[in-house]
């Protein structure tokens, strides 16, 4: 007998469910991509009826994903939504959940447990799932999706993995990094390995340096309590930025499956050299300490820049510069690959003129696409040159609004049992091993000093000086910093 499918969301009254998960599930439903028998069960403490829950989610989709909302279809979708009231820390509530699910499902039913709660509850939820018999697989599968942050340092991440693995096997664990669900992040592998022209030059012989920039205009807002304990390295680098870097730097996997892809990512993460504190910049935006939930003397960085080296044949001597921050002038994520300058310049350029290196830019968001910058003779000049851009924009080639939200793909993959775009325990561990010593070094040695920057700028001057010190500068499509 074929199994039906149930998704159980823990933390169902929270932000993530409302803003991301339900809009993604509804969009998949609209496109006919969800299994037609799917049931979605929300578990949380509020005393909702099924109807209250459906109404609340409906408002969420209307507000946060107006472009996917469709009132005619919502009614059918809403019939698939259910609510189970319960407390994450109360084992008997998980017993009740099991009874509720068994009544709802035609046996056997696969179950995807989605942990959209605060990370403090991950261990408890898993334990309670195990104790209530909700994790056992007989005629159907059980999988668990876990949001970031996965631990707050290497020890806690390893401990969390151990805790989860007392109930679920690694093959059942899907650790989400939503950046991997972004089309543009997925396309890094297609750009590199579905084409022949770039891969031969994707190495130290042709590439001078690689830069990954992820800027955000939002400040820490209502998440200040969480953020002040976390800071930008834990919030953005340990996960999203190192994942982007792994995709850019990894060797070609032999096939596109979860083991092969993740093995290569682990290999490249293992080749990353421990980062020296002198190769870091940390900064905080002015006014951050006034946010509610932030300590008045907080040293938490809201911005960081790092220089990282990869000790292998492909990348030896090629610095990777990474930067990210909040309360900046704009939201922009891009990867810039700067090629070596020509070894000899035969043109008679004006003394003030320098040839620009070729730069390949992978725009992750917004205005998703790929740009290639190269030098061109200015028409009607004798020998003057100017940089021009060869551009690919998703919106031009595929139409506006073509890019699905990252969660759509990830939820679907988890249902289909494809873990390629999820992070394995060894990746998480390697990433923490890189990031942890920096955080500890900052805290214990207080070096480099915490720089300050004005909100609404492109970050601290120290970040520019950091690259200038290496004779380089931050690159960006369109030339903002
Ligand atoms: C989250 C971080 O993981 O990613 C947030 O916790 C950050 O602080 C967000 O704002 C950025 O995601 P995106 O998809 O908006 O770039």
């Amino acid at each position: 007998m074929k199994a039906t499918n149930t998704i159980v969301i823990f933390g169902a009254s929270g932000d993530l469910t409302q803003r991301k998960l339900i809009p993604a599930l509804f969009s998949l439903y609209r496109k006919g991509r969800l299994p037609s028998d799917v049931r979605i069960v929300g578990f949380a403490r509020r005393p909702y009826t099924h109807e209250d829950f459906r109404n609340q989610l409906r408002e969420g989709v209307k507000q946060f994903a107006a472009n996917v909302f469709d009132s005619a279809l919502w009614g059918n979708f809403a019939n698939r939504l259910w609510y189970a009231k319960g407390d994450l820390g109360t084992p008997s509530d998980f017993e009740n959940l099991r009874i509720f699910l068994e009544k709802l499902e035609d046996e056997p039913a696969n179950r995807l447990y989605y942990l959209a709660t605060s990370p403090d509850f991950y261990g408890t939820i898993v334990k309670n799932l195990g104790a209530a018999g909700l994790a056992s697989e007989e005629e159907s599968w059980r999988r668990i999706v876990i949001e970031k942050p996965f631990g707050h340092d290497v020890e806690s991440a390893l401990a969390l993995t151990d805790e989860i693995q007392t109930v679920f096997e690694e093959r059942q664990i899907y650790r989400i990094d939503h950046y991997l669900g972004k089309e543009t992040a997925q396309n890094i592998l297609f750009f590199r390995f579905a084409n022949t022209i770039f891969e031969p030059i994707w190495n130290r012989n042709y590439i001078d340096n690689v830069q990954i920039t992820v800027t955000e205009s939002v400040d820490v807002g209502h998440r200040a309590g969480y953020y002040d304990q976390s800071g930008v390295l834990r919030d953005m680098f340990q996960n999203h930025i190192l994942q982007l870097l792994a995709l850019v730097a990894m060797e070609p996997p032999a096939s596109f499956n979860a083991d092969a892809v993740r093995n290569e990512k682990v290999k490249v993460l293992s080749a990353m050299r421990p980062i020296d504190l002198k190769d870091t910049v940390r900064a905080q935006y002015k006014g951050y300490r006034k946010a509610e939930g932030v300590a008045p003397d907080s040293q938490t960085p809201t911005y960081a820049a790092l220089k990282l080296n990869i000790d292998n044949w492909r990348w030896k001597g090629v610095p990777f510069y990474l930067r990210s921050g909040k309360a900046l002038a704009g939201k922009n994520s891009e990867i810039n690959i700067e090629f070596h300058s020509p070894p000899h310049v035969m043109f008679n350029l004006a003394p003030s003129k320098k040839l620009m290196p070729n730069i390949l830019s992978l725009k992750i968001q917004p205005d998703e696409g790929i740009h290639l910058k190269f030098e061109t003779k200015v028409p009607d000049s004798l020998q003057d040159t100017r940089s021009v851009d060869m551009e690919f924009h998703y919106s031009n080639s595929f139409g506006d609004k073509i890019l699905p939200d990252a969660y759509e793909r990830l939820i679907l993959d988890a249902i289909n049992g494809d873990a390629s775009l999820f992070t394995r325990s060894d990746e998480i561990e390697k990433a923490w091993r890189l990031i942890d010593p920096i955080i500890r070094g900052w805290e214990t040695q207080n070096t480099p000093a915490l720089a300050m920057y004005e909100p609404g700028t492109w970050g601290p001057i120290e970040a520019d000086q950091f690259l200038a010190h290496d004779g380089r500068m931050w690159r960006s499509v369109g030339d903002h910093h």
Side-chain angles (χ1 to χ4, degrees):
M1 186 178 171
K2 199 178 151 292
T4 58
N5 294 279
T6 307
I7 301 173
V8 183
I9 303 177
F10 295 95
S13 54
D15 236 27
L16 183 71
T17 305
Q18 177 108 347
R19 281 172 189 263
K20 291 290 183 186
L21 303 184
I22 296 298
L25 284 162
F26 181 61
S27 173
L28 289 169
Y29 178 78
R30 259 185 79 157
K31 296 179 197 165
R33 301 260 178 85
L34 279 186
S36 55
D37 55 25
V38 78
R39 297 183 185 86
I40 300 161
V41 176
F43 181 96
R45 249 187 346 206
R46 293 191 197 167
Y48 285 152
T49 61
H50 300 307
E51 223 32 59
D52 294 338
F53 183 54
R54 292 170 184 154
N55 289 338
Q56 194 223 5
L57 297 180
R58 181 172 190 267
E59 291 316 301
V61 178
K62 277 167 82 176
Q63 183 179 350
F64 300 113
N67 58 327
V68 305
F69 187 72
D70 175 325
S71 57
L73 271 182
W74 177 264
N76 295 338
F77 179 72
N79 290 335
R80 320 220 124 266
L81 296 171
W82 305 91
Y83 187 71
K85 178 178 160 348
D87 185 285
L88 299 171
T90 308
S92 58
D93 286 353
F94 284 71
E95 287 291 335
N96 293 338
L97 175 66
R98 183 170 51 77
I99 295 165
F100 176 76
L101 290 173
E102 284 170 0
K103 262 201 221 138
L104 193 66
E105 294 162 339
D106 325 307
E107 287 300 332
N110 301 315
R111 291 199 200 124
L112 185 72
Y113 301 118
Y114 200 115
L115 273 48
T117 65
S118 146
D120 299 343
F121 294 109
Y122 294 166
T124 314
I125 298 171
V126 168
K127 198 167 88 211
N128 285 336
L129 283 170
L134 282 160
S136 62
E137 289 186 316
E138 276 152 29
E139 294 155 280
S140 50
W141 52 254
R142 304 283 178 263
R143 294 184 191 130
I144 183 160
V145 179
I146 302 187
E147 273 289 332
K148 70 163 269 274
F150 196 88
H152 59 270
D153 56 16
V154 71
E155 287 80 21
S156 56
L158 289 174
L160 181 58
T161 286
D162 282 350
E163 202 173 1
I164 298 172
Q165 287 181 351
T166 58
V167 176
F168 294 95
E169 290 174 30
E170 181 65 25
R171 66 175 172 81
Q172 295 171 281
I173 307 173
Y174 288 69
R175 296 175 192 77
I176 279 224
D177 185 311
H178 79 278
Y179 265 59
L180 295 179
K182 292 183 190 283
E183 278 293 340
T184 44
Q186 295 175 46
N187 195 45
I188 297 171
L189 292 187
F190 286 81
F191 181 76
R192 290 186 58 194
F193 305 131
N195 296 295
T196 52
I197 57 171
F198 288 106
E199 203 47 31
I201 57 170
W202 206 262
N203 58 50
R204 64 191 305 274
N205 298 324
Y206 294 90
I207 293 178
D208 178 78
N209 74 92
V210 177
Q211 304 180 5
I212 301 184
T213 295
V214 179
T215 62
E216 294 188 274
S217 48
V218 290
D219 60 19
V220 294
H222 66 281
R223 296 165 75 228
Y226 146 78
Y227 195 90
D228 203 40
Q229 300 302 312
S230 167
V232 68
L233 286 193
R234 291 191 177 100
D235 191 50
M236 296 299 290
F237 283 73
Q238 186 272 342
N239 34 66
H240 310 322
I241 295 181
L242 285 181
Q243 286 296 325
L244 290 178
L245 173 51
L247 294 174
V248 169
M250 70 199 255
E251 296 301 316
S255 57
F256 195 28
N257 67 48
D259 281 339
V261 171
R262 299 192 296 180
N263 288 345
E264 291 305 336
K265 284 204 289 179
V266 168
K267 272 196 232 163
V268 77
L269 284 163
S270 311
M272 292 178 190
R273 194 189 302 165
I275 298 168
D276 210 306
L277 289 188
K278 73 170 173 28
D279 289 334
T280 69
V281 171
R282 58 176 181 143
Q284 189 184 76
Y285 65 82
K286 292 184 187 163
Y288 168 74
R289 290 175 189 166
K290 296 209 189 86
E292 204 185 313
V294 172
D297 56 350
S298 173
Q299 296 292 303
T300 301
T302 58
Y303 179 103
L306 307 179
K307 176 160 81 167
L308 186 144
N309 288 281
I310 301 178
D311 288 330
N312 64 17
W313 271 61
R314 188 189 284 264
W315 296 117
K316 187 79 185 175
V318 179
F320 288 77
Y321 298 102
L322 318 174
R323 63 175 169 163
S324 180
K326 292 216 184 275
L328 298 171
K331 183 171 172 76
N332 181 43
S333 302
E334 57 187 61
I335 301 169
N336 287 292
I337 293 152
E338 179 171 334
F339 291 89
H340 289 308
S341 296
H344 166 70
V345 180
M346 66 180 214
F347 307 107
N348 231 343
L349 302 176
S352 60
K353 180 92 191 182
K354 264 187 77 186
L355 288 182
M356 273 284 290
N358 298 133
I359 298 175
L360 177 73
S361 305
L362 309 178
K363 280 278 286 174
I364 304 296
Q365 65 190 26
D367 195 5
E368 293 81 358
I370 297 176
H371 298 234
L372 180 63
K373 196 183 276 268
F374 56 90
E375 296 293 278
T376 296
K377 175 178 174 291
V378 175
D380 213 16
S381 75
L382 278 180
Q383 309 207 359
D384 197 11
T385 61
R386 206 178 83 192
S387 306
V388 294
D389 233 11
M390 218 149 76
E391 301 179 27
F392 152 59
H393 297 267
Y394 278 81
S395 54
N396 290 348
S397 302
F398 296 105
D400 271 345
K401 305 199 177 72
I402 197 73
L403 293 171
D405 187 81
Y407 278 93
E408 290 189 24
R409 171 63 190 265
L410 295 174
I411 293 172
L412 208 53
D413 280 1
I415 296 173
N416 292 330
D418 182 349
S420 313
L421 300 179
F422 293 82
T423 40
R424 212 167 55 187
S425 59
D426 45 358
E427 286 177 71
I428 298 264
E429 178 184 344
K430 299 281 177 209
W432 275 124
R433 287 197 189 285
L434 271 171
I435 295 301
D436 253 7
I438 308 173
I439 298 175
R440 243 176 297 125
W442 284 351
E443 285 170 2
T444 57
Q445 299 175 40
N446 197 24
T447 180
L450 182 71
M452 300 304 257
Y453 61 99
E454 289 291 341
T457 63
W458 286 113
I461 180 88
E462 285 80 352
D464 293 337
Q465 292 164 345
F466 180 55
L467 259 70
H469 183 260
D470 287 357
R472 299 191 173 96
M473 59 192 288
W474 291 107
R475 305 291 185 188
S476 184
V477 173
D479 268 340
H480 51 67
H481 275 17

